[in-house]
Amino acid sequence: MKQKRILIKLGASCNLKCSHCHCLQVEYDYNPDIINYIKANGFNWVVFGGGEPLMYFDRIKEIVLALNDKGIFYSFVTNGFYLDKEKIDFCNDHNIRIAISYDGRSGNRGGCPDNLKLVKKIKHHVLATTVYKDNIDLAKLFADIRNLS
């Protein structure tokens, strides 16, 4: 089946201010008509964007439940700071893929949140990293990532 994706920008708020982040600090108004647009146009993959998507988790739940379609895949990239069992359970139950943006303990993000150990409970997950001057020790970074995945 051909993938037809749509990106829904939830907002630009984030709990971190990473020096290498590409997100613009712009707020977006939510238009509930997006549900009918997705249904009418045969999208089978919904990507939630931010800022930090988990800051908008209630909106993610609202959209997923309104679409109520087991044939749709969902995904988002998160820094992982707001991961908890409730969010992971919802994502696992609704075919949501989570990419954890992780730049290592020595990355310029304030360290590793303790709740990243929850990554192993996510059914569909990947770890994404940006290699830049503050985490250039690749052996250390990859060892750290292996411990999380």
Side-chain angles (χ1 to χ4, degrees), residues 9-26:
K9 293 287 278 184
L10 300 167
S13 294
C14 184
N15 57 314
L16 302 176
K17 301 291 182 228
C18 302
S19 60
H20 56 280
C21 183
H22 61 84
C23 290
L24 300 174
Q25 296 300 313
V26 177

Side-chain angles (χ1 to χ4, degrees), residues 15-129:
N15 57 314
L16 302 176
K17 301 291 182 228
C18 302
S19 60
H20 56 280
C21 183
H22 61 84
C23 290
L24 300 174
Q25 296 300 313
V26 177
E27 288 306 315
Y28 304 92
D29 291 327
Y30 174 68
N31 183 342
D33 292 340
I34 194 71
I35 302 299
N36 291 331
Y37 181 80
I38 291 169
K39 289 179 179 181
N41 289 284
F43 289 99
N44 56 9
W45 195 303
V46 176
V47 179
F48 297 108
E52 170 51 46
L54 288 180
M55 292 180 74
Y56 304 93
F57 193 70
D58 288 341
R59 181 72 67 204
I60 290 172
K61 284 174 51 175
E62 177 184 344
I63 293 168
V64 169
L65 294 173
L67 288 170
N68 192 29
D69 186 336
K70 298 288 186 200
I72 296 179
F73 296 101
Y74 304 92
S75 63
F76 60 85
V77 177
T78 175
N79 61 39
F81 275 78
Y82 294 111
L83 277 179
D84 60 33
K85 185 177 178 343
E86 173 195 354
K87 292 176 183 77
I88 290 172
D89 288 346
F90 183 85
C91 290
N92 286 343
D93 291 344
H94 292 89
N95 209 20
I96 300 174
R97 287 141 168 78
I98 303 174
I100 308 294
S101 175
Y102 181 70
D103 300 327
R105 292 179 189 275
S106 62
N108 193 18
R109 294 186 37 199
C112 174
D114 291 335
N115 60 346
L116 280 183
K117 62 185 170 226
L118 294 172
V119 169
K120 294 177 183 177
K121 297 184 183 298
I122 301 169
K123 191 185 304 183
H124 302 287
H125 76 275
V126 297
L127 291 170
T129 190

